[in-house]
Coordinates of all heavy atoms in Angstrom, one line a residue:
H2 N 15.1 7.7 -6.2 CA 15.0 8.5 -4.9 C 16.5 9.0 -4.5 O 16.6 10.2 -4.2 CB 14.4 7.7 -3.8 CG 12.9 7.7 -3.8 ND1 12.1 7.1 -4.8 CD2 12.0 8.2 -2.9 CE1 10.9 7.2 -4.6 NE2 10.7 7.9 -3.4
I3 N 17.4 8.1 -4.7 CA 18.8 8.5 -4.3 C 19.3 9.6 -5.2 O 19.9 10.5 -4.7 CB 19.6 7.2 -4.3 CG1 19.2 6.3 -3.1 CG2 21.1 7.7 -4.2 CD1 20.0 4.9 -3.2
T4 N 19.0 9.5 -6.5 CA 19.4 10.5 -7.5 C 18.8 11.9 -7.0 O 19.4 12.9 -7.1 CB 19.0 10.2 -8.9 OG1 19.7 8.9 -9.2 CG2 19.4 11.2 -9.9
L5 N 17.5 11.9 -6.8 CA 16.8 13.1 -6.3 C 17.3 13.6 -5.0 O 17.4 14.8 -4.8 CB 15.2 12.8 -6.2 CG 14.4 14.1 -6.1 CD1 14.7 15.0 -7.3 CD2 12.9 13.7 -6.1
K6 N 17.7 12.7 -4.1 CA 18.2 13.1 -2.8 C 19.5 13.9 -3.0 O 19.8 14.9 -2.4 CB 18.5 11.8 -2.0 CG 19.1 12.1 -0.7 CD 19.2 10.7 0.1 CE 20.2 10.7 1.2 NZ 21.6 10.6 0.9
D7 N 20.3 13.4 -4.0 CA 21.6 14.2 -4.3 C 21.2 15.5 -4.8 O 22.0 16.5 -4.5 CB 22.4 13.4 -5.3 CG 23.0 12.1 -4.8 OD1 23.0 11.9 -3.6 OD2 23.3 11.2 -5.6
E8 N 20.3 15.7 -5.6 CA 19.8 17.0 -6.1 C 19.4 17.9 -5.0 O 19.7 19.1 -4.9 CB 18.7 16.9 -7.1 CG 19.0 16.4 -8.5 CD 17.9 16.4 -9.4 OE1 17.1 17.5 -9.6 OE2 17.6 15.4 -10.1
I9 N 18.6 17.3 -4.1 CA 18.1 18.1 -2.9 C 19.3 18.5 -2.1 O 19.4 19.7 -1.7 CB 17.1 17.2 -2.1 CG1 15.9 17.0 -2.9 CG2 16.8 17.9 -0.8 CD1 15.0 15.9 -2.3
Q10 N 20.3 17.7 -1.8 CA 21.4 18.0 -1.0 C 22.2 19.1 -1.7 O 22.7 20.0 -1.0 CB 22.4 16.8 -0.8 CG 21.8 15.8 0.1 CD 21.6 16.3 1.5 OE1 22.5 17.0 2.0 NE2 20.4 16.1 2.1
H11 N 22.4 19.1 -3.0 CA 23.1 20.2 -3.7 C 22.4 21.5 -3.5 O 23.1 22.5 -3.2 CB 23.2 19.8 -5.2 CG 23.8 20.8 -6.0 ND1 25.2 21.1 -6.0 CD2 23.3 21.7 -6.9 CE1 25.5 22.1 -6.8 NE2 24.4 22.5 -7.4
L12 N 21.1 21.5 -3.6 CA 20.4 22.8 -3.4 C 20.5 23.2 -1.9 O 20.6 24.4 -1.6 CB 18.9 22.6 -3.9 CG 18.6 22.5 -5.3 CD1 17.2 22.2 -5.6 CD2 19.0 23.8 -6.0
L13 N 20.3 22.3 -1.0 CA 20.4 22.6 0.4 C 21.8 23.2 0.7 O 21.9 24.2 1.5 CB 20.1 21.4 1.3 CG 18.6 21.1 1.5 CD1 18.5 19.7 2.0 CD2 17.9 22.1 2.3
E14 N 22.8 22.7 0.1 CA 24.2 23.2 0.4 C 24.3 24.6 -0.1 O 25.1 25.4 0.5 CB 25.2 22.3 -0.4 CG 25.4 21.0 0.3 CD 26.3 20.0 -0.5 OE1 26.8 20.4 -1.6 OE2 26.4 18.9 -0.1
Q15 N 23.6 25.0 -1.2 CA 23.6 26.4 -1.6 C 23.1 27.4 -0.5 O 23.5 28.5 -0.5 CB 22.9 26.5 -2.9 CG 23.6 25.9 -4.0 CD 22.7 26.0 -5.4 OE1 21.6 26.5 -5.4 NE2 23.3 25.4 -6.4
Y16 N 22.2 26.8 0.3 CA 21.6 27.6 1.4 C 22.3 27.4 2.7 O 21.8 27.8 3.8 CB 20.1 27.4 1.5 CG 19.3 27.9 0.3 CD1 18.9 27.1 -0.7 CD2 19.0 29.3 0.2 CE1 18.2 27.6 -1.9 CE2 18.3 29.8 -0.8 CZ 18.0 28.9 -1.9 OH 17.3 29.4 -3.0
H17 N 23.4 26.6 2.7 CA 24.2 26.2 3.9 C 23.3 25.5 4.9 O 23.3 25.8 6.1 CB 24.8 27.5 4.5 CG 25.6 28.3 3.5 ND1 26.9 27.8 3.0 CD2 25.4 29.4 2.9 CE1 27.3 28.7 2.1 NE2 26.5 29.7 2.0
D18 N 22.4 24.6 4.4 CA 21.6 23.9 5.3 C 21.8 22.4 5.2 O 22.2 21.9 4.1 CB 20.1 24.2 4.9 CG 19.1 23.7 5.9 OD1 18.7 22.5 5.9 OD2 18.7 24.5 6.7
D19 N 21.7 21.7 6.3 CA 22.0 20.2 6.3 C 20.8 19.4 6.0 O 20.9 18.2 6.0 CB 22.5 19.9 7.7 CG 23.8 20.5 8.1 OD1 24.6 20.8 7.2 OD2 24.0 20.8 9.3
G20 N 19.6 19.9 5.8 CA 18.5 19.1 5.4 C 17.7 18.7 6.7 O 17.9 19.3 7.8
K21 N 17.0 17.6 6.5 CA 16.1 17.2 7.6 C 16.0 15.7 7.6 O 15.8 15.1 6.5 CB 14.7 17.8 7.5 CG 13.7 17.4 8.5 CD 12.4 18.1 8.3 CE 11.3 17.6 9.3 NZ 10.0 18.2 9.0
E22 N 16.1 15.1 8.7 CA 15.8 13.6 8.9 C 14.3 13.4 9.0 O 13.6 14.3 9.6 CB 16.6 13.0 10.0 CG 18.1 13.0 9.9 CD 18.6 12.1 8.7 OE1 18.0 11.0 8.5 OE2 19.5 12.5 8.0
P23 N 13.8 12.2 8.6 CA 12.4 12.0 8.8 C 12.2 11.9 10.4 O 13.1 11.5 11.1 CB 12.2 10.6 8.2 CG 13.4 10.4 7.3 CD 14.5 11.2 7.8
P24 N 11.0 12.3 10.8 CA 10.7 12.3 12.2 C 10.9 10.9 12.8 O 10.5 9.9 12.1 CB 9.3 12.7 12.3 CG 9.0 13.5 11.1 CD 9.9 12.9 10.0
A25 N 11.6 10.8 13.8 CA 11.8 9.4 14.5 C 10.6 8.6 14.7 O 10.5 7.4 14.4 CB 12.6 9.6 15.8
M26 N 9.5 9.3 15.1 CA 8.2 8.7 15.4 C 7.7 8.0 14.1 O 7.2 6.9 14.0 CB 7.2 9.6 16.0 CG 5.9 8.9 16.3 SD 6.0 7.6 17.6 CE 5.6 8.6 19.0
A27 N 7.7 8.8 13.0 CA 7.2 8.4 11.7 C 8.0 7.2 11.2 O 7.5 6.2 10.7 CB 7.2 9.5 10.7
K28 N 9.3 7.3 11.4 CA 10.2 6.2 10.9 C 10.0 4.9 11.7 O 9.9 3.8 11.1 CB 11.7 6.6 11.1 CG 12.5 6.7 9.8 CD 13.8 7.2 10.0 CE 14.8 6.2 9.3 NZ 16.1 6.7 9.3
G29 N 9.8 5.1 13.0 CA 9.6 3.9 13.9 C 8.3 3.3 13.6 O 8.2 2.1 13.6
M30 N 7.3 4.1 13.4 CA 5.9 3.6 13.2 C 5.9 2.9 11.9 O 5.2 1.8 11.7 CB 4.8 4.7 13.3 CG 4.6 5.2 14.6 SD 4.1 4.0 15.9 CE 2.5 3.7 15.4
S31 N 6.5 3.4 10.9 CA 6.6 2.8 9.5 C 7.3 1.4 9.7 O 6.8 0.4 9.1 CB 7.3 3.7 8.6 OG 7.5 3.0 7.3
W32 N 8.5 1.4 10.3 CA 9.2 0.1 10.5 C 8.4 -0.9 11.2 O 8.3 -2.1 10.8 CB 10.5 0.4 11.2 CG 11.4 -0.8 11.5 CD1 12.3 -1.2 10.6 CD2 11.4 -1.7 12.5 NE1 12.9 -2.4 11.1 CE2 12.3 -2.7 12.3 CE3 10.6 -1.8 13.7 CZ2 12.5 -3.7 13.2 CZ3 10.8 -2.8 14.6 CH2 11.8 -3.8 14.3
L33 N 7.7 -0.4 12.3 CA 6.9 -1.4 13.1 C 5.7 -2.0 12.3 O 5.5 -3.2 12.2 CB 6.4 -0.6 14.3 CG 5.5 -1.5 15.3 CD1 6.4 -2.6 15.9 CD2 5.0 -0.7 16.5
K34 N 5.0 -1.1 11.5 CA 3.9 -1.5 10.7 C 4.4 -2.5 9.7 O 3.8 -3.5 9.4 CB 3.2 -0.2 10.0 CG 2.1 -0.6 9.1 CD 1.5 0.6 8.4 CE 0.4 0.2 7.5 NZ -0.2 1.4 6.8
T35 N 5.5 -2.2 9.0 CA 6.0 -3.0 8.0 C 6.4 -4.4 8.5 O 5.9 -5.4 8.0 CB 7.3 -2.4 7.4 OG1 6.9 -1.1 6.7 CG2 7.9 -3.3 6.3
N36 N 7.1 -4.4 9.6 CA 7.5 -5.7 10.1 C 6.3 -6.5 10.7 O 6.4 -7.8 10.5 CB 8.6 -5.5 11.2 CG 9.9 -5.1 10.5 OD1 10.5 -6.1 9.9 ND2 10.3 -3.9 10.5
V37 N 5.4 -5.9 11.3 CA 4.2 -6.6 11.9 C 3.5 -7.3 10.7 O 3.1 -8.4 10.7 CB 3.3 -5.7 12.8 CG1 2.0 -6.4 13.0 CG2 4.0 -5.4 14.0
K38 N 3.2 -6.4 9.7 CA 2.4 -6.9 8.5 C 3.1 -8.1 7.8 O 2.5 -9.0 7.3 CB 2.1 -5.9 7.5 CG 0.9 -5.0 8.0 CD 0.4 -4.1 6.9 CE -1.0 -3.6 7.2 NZ -1.7 -3.1 6.1
L39 N 4.4 -7.9 7.7 CA 5.2 -8.9 7.0 C 5.3 -10.3 7.8 O 5.4 -11.3 7.3 CB 6.6 -8.5 6.6 CG 6.6 -7.4 5.5 CD1 8.0 -6.9 5.3 CD2 6.1 -8.1 4.1
V40 N 5.4 -10.1 9.2 CA 5.4 -11.3 10.0 C 4.0 -12.1 9.8 O 3.9 -13.3 9.7 CB 5.6 -11.0 11.5 CG1 5.2 -12.2 12.4 CG2 7.0 -10.6 11.7
L41 N 3.0 -11.3 9.7 CA 1.6 -11.9 9.6 C 1.4 -12.5 8.2 O 0.7 -13.5 8.0 CB 0.5 -10.9 9.9 CG 0.5 -10.4 11.3 CD1 -0.5 -9.3 11.6 CD2 0.2 -11.6 12.3
N42 N 1.9 -11.8 7.2 CA 1.7 -12.2 5.8 C 2.9 -11.8 4.9 O 2.8 -10.7 4.3 CB 0.4 -11.7 5.3 CG 0.1 -12.1 3.9 OD1 0.7 -13.0 3.3 ND2 -1.0 -11.5 3.3
E43 N 3.9 -12.6 4.8 CA 5.1 -12.2 4.0 C 4.8 -12.5 2.6 O 5.0 -13.6 2.1 CB 6.3 -13.0 4.5 CG 7.6 -12.6 3.8 CD 8.8 -13.3 4.4 OE1 8.9 -13.5 5.6 OE2 9.6 -13.7 3.5
S44 N 4.2 -11.5 1.9 CA 3.9 -11.7 0.4 C 4.1 -10.5 -0.3 O 4.2 -9.3 0.2 CB 2.4 -12.1 0.3 OG 1.6 -11.0 0.6
D45 N 4.3 -10.6 -1.6 CA 4.4 -9.5 -2.5 C 3.3 -8.6 -2.4 O 3.4 -7.3 -2.6 CB 4.7 -9.9 -4.0 CG 6.1 -10.5 -4.1 OD1 7.0 -10.3 -3.2 OD2 6.3 -11.3 -5.0
Q46 N 2.1 -9.1 -2.2 CA 0.8 -8.3 -2.1 C 0.9 -7.4 -0.9 O 0.6 -6.2 -1.0 CB -0.4 -9.2 -2.0 CG -1.7 -8.5 -2.0 CD -2.9 -9.4 -1.9 OE1 -2.8 -10.6 -1.9 NE2 -4.1 -8.8 -2.0
T47 N 1.4 -7.9 0.2 CA 1.6 -7.2 1.4 C 2.5 -6.0 1.2 O 2.3 -4.9 1.6 CB 2.0 -8.0 2.6 OG1 1.0 -9.0 2.8 CG2 2.1 -7.2 3.9

């Protein structure tokens, strides 16, 4: 993913664009879901 991110950044720079951060709400919800599920069941399956 990091390698591909670098490719994306290179292409965006050609268009003089800074890219986009993930929406804060999506990031927050993902973090919350992850942490709640892992508190309830910290396993590789989870």
Side-chain angles (χ1 to χ4, degrees):
H2 277 67
I3 290 169
T4 300
L5 192 56
K6 181 176 158 280
D7 292 342
E8 284 184 52
I9 293 166
Q10 286 301 311
H11 177 72
L12 289 172
L13 283 166
E14 286 170 7
Q15 291 178 0
Y16 291 100
H17 309 288
D18 194 275
D19 295 330
K21 179 180 175 183
E22 291 297 318
M26 180 65 95
K28 242 179 132 172
M30 292 301 288
S31 173
W32 182 87
L33 184 63
K34 179 181 177 182
T35 297
N36 284 288
V37 166
K38 281 197 166 197
L39 287 174
V40 164
L41 296 173
N42 182 9
E43 187 178 318
S44 71
D45 290 339
Q46 183 179 5
T47 300

